[in-house]
Amino acid sequence: MGEQMTMARALNAGLHRALEADPKVLLAGEDIGKLGGVFRITEHLQRDFGPERVVDSPLAESGIVGTALGLALRGYRPVVEIQFDGFVYPAFDQIVSQVSRMRFRSMGRLSVPMVVRIPYGGGIGAIEHHSESPEAYFAHTPGLVVVTPSTPLDAYWMIQQAIAHDDPVIFLEPKRRYHEKGEVDLSEPPLRLDAARTVLTGDDVTLLTYGPMVKTCVEAALAASAEGRSVEVVDLRSLAPLDDATVLASVERTGRAIVVHEAVRTGGIGAELAARIQERCFYALESPVLRVTGHDLPYPPSKAEHTYLPDLDRILDAVDRSLAH
């Protein structure tokens, strides 16, 4: 049996273990040291490892990421925090123009072992630039690994796997799940960083999701089971690369697929999954691939976010429409 802990605590424990195991691991970000970060993910790490390894950076996201790139090229393994999802855009040029291209540009001679941690998604009643889902920008960018945990167990292992990776990793943390508890059994071997996980098995339809929406999809699947419908839930975990084998095997078996994510609909991860499924599972499909997503507009004020975010009713409606074919 493992220990019950929140995702925030699991991330903290994973970072602590990585810092302890490798003196080349460094953390940097706004208020991550003395304060422990706005979500307290890095709490006490500066106390335990010192201000030279857990660095309170200036308020300058481009500078944070650019400095981390230089450190990575010098043999360090920096882990930088972007305080909120919507604050990553000042660092976007560094990430897509420099960090992502360095291995290709150097014809494999250089690697960039760095992690960019980004709390993302809505559901916490926050203002603009504090509830966004920018994952498609990074999954679209060759050279970046993009992953997101949905449970404390995954958070604990995936942050360590990301730090050990020799390519740059965008590590998306579903902030509204930070304080939800789950079992973390350190004796349980972790999945590969790029592997999807089947959370619930079912026969009638596959829900493909990730990050903050995994819990919502599980709740929808359990509600559907009360009506005699068997719904499979697959947690993608890795958005770049996608685990095609797990996704396609599930859809070929159920014959139906619904993709659920908070990010806007157009050009999102759901669109990419729909295209891959149509190409590879065409003769197995019993109905069109459906998407349940955020709307194509900027994230709304907090009092209206419940109308923006996918919820149990919207997911169950998609299940009904899929099975109606």
Side-chain angles (χ1 to χ4, degrees):
M1 291 293 292
E3 180 183 352
Q4 288 288 319
M5 62 176 70
T6 64
M7 181 180 287
R9 187 180 167 203
L11 286 165
N12 181 275
L15 289 167
H16 192 285
R17 183 168 174 177
L19 285 159
E20 196 171 44
D22 185 352
K24 293 292 188 179
V25 175
L26 308 173
L27 310 187
E30 298 160 12
D31 297 320
I32 71 160
K34 185 176 180 181
L35 179 66
V38 294
F39 295 105
R40 303 299 187 267
I41 305 302
T42 53
E43 190 169 34
H44 302 318
L45 295 181
Q46 189 180 76
R47 179 198 67 188
D48 294 345
F49 296 97
E52 292 184 350
R53 293 190 65 196
V54 181
V55 181
D56 279 313
S57 68
L59 198 156
E61 286 79 13
S62 182
I64 294 168
V65 173
T67 301
L69 171 60
L71 286 165
L73 292 173
R74 293 291 292 176
Y76 292 90
R77 291 185 176 271
V79 182
V80 298
E81 178 184 292
I82 303 298
Q83 198 170 73
F84 280 93
D85 35 46
F87 299 174
V88 74
Y89 303 119
F92 192 73
D93 179 52
Q94 288 281 7
I95 294 171
V96 303
S97 299
Q98 307 298 335
V99 171
S100 68
R101 299 168 184 249
M102 197 60 67
R103 183 183 288 279
F104 187 83
R105 182 183 295 157
S106 67
M107 294 187 290
R109 290 191 294 270
L110 299 175
S111 61
V112 183
M114 61 178 283
V115 178
V116 181
R117 294 181 43 243
I118 307 175
Y120 81 117
I124 64 168
I127 58 175
E128 185 183 9
H129 295 312
H130 294 69
S131 300
E132 300 182 23
S133 298
E135 58 267 27
Y137 291 120
F138 302 112
H140 173 76
T141 303
L144 298 176
V145 174
V146 184
V147 300
T148 176
S150 66
T151 67
L153 178 63
D154 270 350
Y156 175 78
W157 286 118
M158 289 172 73
I159 190 62
Q160 294 177 70
Q161 292 169 317
I163 293 169
H165 206 293
D166 286 333
D167 284 313
V169 178
I170 305 298
F171 194 89
L172 298 159
E173 301 169 6
K175 68 173 83 75
R176 70 158 140 163
R177 306 301 183 199
Y178 271 151
H179 300 297
E180 294 180 1
K181 289 187 175 181
E183 184 175 320
V184 178
D185 185 352
L186 302 188
S187 67
E188 182 180 336
L191 291 175
R192 298 190 327 270
L193 185 62
D194 61 352
R197 176 171 58 95
T198 302
V199 183
L200 288 178
T201 58
D203 299 317
D204 295 336
V205 60
T206 298
L207 293 181
L208 300 166
T209 189
Y210 54 88
M213 281 288 107
V214 172
K215 180 181 179 181
T216 308
C217 284
V218 168
E219 291 171 349
L222 294 175
S225 70
E227 300 177 354
R229 291 170 174 177
S230 179
V231 178
E232 184 148 297
V233 178
V234 175
D235 178 2
L236 297 174
R237 299 176 74 252
S238 174
L239 307 182
L242 286 165
D243 181 358
D244 285 339
T246 299
V247 169
L248 299 176
S250 176
V251 176
E252 285 176 352
R253 189 169 50 77
T254 65
R256 294 176 169 84
I258 301 167
V259 188
V260 183
H261 59 66
E262 289 189 17
V264 298
R265 181 183 182 89
T266 300
I269 300 297
E272 176 62 29
L273 282 165
R276 294 191 187 199
I277 291 166
Q278 191 275 339
E279 288 174 351
R280 302 278 294 278
C281 300
F282 182 79
Y283 292 105
L285 288 174
E286 300 289 342
S287 67
V289 180
L290 302 179
R291 291 173 287 167
V292 182
T293 70
H295 303 300
D296 286 350
L297 47 81
Y299 199 88
S302 59
K303 288 184 179 180
E305 69 178 355
H306 66 283
T307 65
Y308 178 90
L309 295 169
D311 60 12
L312 187 134
D313 287 339
R314 288 175 61 192
I315 297 169
L316 289 176
D317 176 69
V319 170
D320 289 342
R321 288 187 285 120
S322 181
L323 291 170
H325 282 82

